[in-house]
């Protein structure tokens, strides 16, 4: 709620990505043994998902609400939000008894912009150094960025969005998680069709 009060676009993103994580978690629930997880882990990830961008409340309004693309300097400031979010959640959730949930929430906020090949931020983690919960969040986060309208881009059509995610398996995304995410195509399209319709873009723009 705090993040939504700062930025309407971010608020919609929070709801949609949380819904995507819920859909993806249903798929992962049938592959728990493969990833060494259980239903409790997935439930915690679903609960943590809405907090992944909480660090954005530390970003100045001039940047957060800018109606256009960021400059290089502005982008570097925006890239601090995962670290800020992790610090905030450690403090906010310090008295929560369920420590496993706290750890997952902090990791989701801190590492959802890391990439499998080590070129993400803020810590340039790679592969399984990136917590599984953050690798799950990364897929939901980018998918929403692709298929939703932003101030600097129109929404991509679903074929393009899923093609980009498939192409980035093993570079941006966990190559074991990505095929399972792609199997959620029908459910995800139905989910987004239940929202307000978006207009597909005709030209590809960079995704932040």
């Amino acid at each position: 709620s705090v993040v939504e009060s700062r930025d309407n676009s971010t608020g919609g993103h929070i709801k949609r990505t949380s819904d995507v994580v819920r859909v993806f978690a249903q798929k992962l629930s049938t592959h728990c043994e493969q990833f060494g997880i259980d239903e409790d882990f997935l439930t915690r990830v679903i609960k943590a998902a809405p907090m992944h961008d909480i660090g954005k409340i530390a970003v100045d309004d001039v940047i957060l609400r800018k109606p256009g693309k960021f400059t290089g300097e502005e982008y570097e400031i925006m890239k601090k939000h995962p670290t800020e979010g992790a610090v905030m959640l450690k403090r906010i959730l310090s008295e929560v008894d369920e420590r496993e949930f706290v750890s997952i929430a902090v990791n989701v906020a801190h590492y959802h912009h890391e990439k499998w090949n080590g070129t993400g931020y803020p810590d340039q983690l790679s592969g399984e150094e990136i917590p599984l919960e953050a690798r799950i969040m990364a897929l939901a986060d980018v998918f929403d960025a692709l298929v939703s309208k932003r101030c600097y881009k129109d929404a991509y059509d679903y074929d393009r969005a899923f093609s980009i995610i498939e192409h980035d398996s093993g570079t941006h995304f966990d190559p074991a998680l990505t095929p399972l995410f792609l199997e959620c195509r029908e459910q995800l399209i139905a989910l987004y069709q239940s929202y307000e319709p978006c207009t597909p873009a005709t030209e590809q723009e960079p995704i932040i």
Side-chain angles (χ1 to χ4, degrees):
S1 295
V2 172
V3 178
E4 287 178 0
S5 72
R6 290 287 309 284
D7 175 30
N8 289 334
S9 175
T10 298
H13 172 71
I14 289 167
K15 171 178 168 37
R16 293 188 303 269
T17 52
S18 298
D19 289 344
V20 172
V21 168
R22 187 179 299 276
V23 170
F24 191 23
Q26 292 175 348
K27 169 63 69 173
L28 291 176
S29 68
T30 63
H31 294 78
C32 285
E33 185 175 350
Q34 177 183 351
F35 294 99
I37 57 177
D38 56 22
E39 293 281 355
D40 288 341
F41 170 84
L42 293 172
T43 298
R44 293 181 183 114
V45 176
I46 292 170
K47 289 181 178 179
M51 294 182 280
H52 76 279
D53 269 343
I54 196 169
K56 286 186 176 180
I57 65 175
V59 178
D60 190 280
D61 278 346
V62 173
I63 297 174
L64 189 62
R65 299 189 177 190
K66 181 179 178 179
K69 294 182 180 181
F70 298 132
T71 65
E73 183 179 356
E74 290 167 342
Y75 184 41
E76 289 303 312
I77 293 173
M78 275 297 295
K79 285 167 65 176
K80 295 178 181 178
H81 81 266
T83 302
E84 295 283 356
V87 171
M88 288 179 188
L89 288 179
K90 286 178 182 178
R91 183 170 66 249
I92 294 168
L93 303 177
S94 62
E95 297 185 11
V96 173
D97 291 333
E98 192 179 351
R99 303 315 299 171
E100 289 184 32
F101 168 72
V102 174
S103 176
I104 287 172
V106 170
N107 285 341
V108 164
H110 200 174
Y111 301 119
H112 66 281
H113 282 295
E114 299 289 356
K115 296 183 180 181
W116 185 260
N117 65 2
T119 63
Y121 63 87
D123 294 339
Q124 294 78 52
L125 301 183
S126 64
E128 294 185 358
E129 291 178 340
I130 308 167
L132 178 60
E133 52 267 35
R135 287 179 262 151
I136 292 170
M137 191 73 233
L139 281 157
D141 191 47
V142 172
F143 179 75
D144 183 70
L146 290 168
V147 301
S148 299
K149 182 177 175 61
R150 296 285 179 89
C151 59
Y152 56 85
K153 62 173 281 291
D154 287 328
Y156 293 180
D157 63 58
Y158 297 114
D159 285 342
R160 177 181 294 179
F162 285 111
S163 177
I164 290 171
I165 288 177
E166 182 176 19
H167 177 269
D168 288 350
S169 177
T171 54
H172 190 152
F173 308 116
D174 182 333
L177 286 175
T178 306
L180 298 177
F181 187 85
L182 295 173
E183 289 179 15
C184 298
R185 178 187 175 107
E186 290 186 8
Q187 299 97 308
L188 292 173
I189 291 175
L191 173 66
Y192 276 76
Q193 288 177 338
S194 72
Y195 302 142
E196 292 184 2
C198 299
T199 303
T202 56
E203 295 183 3
Q204 184 167 325
E205 297 283 357
I207 297 299
I208 291 176

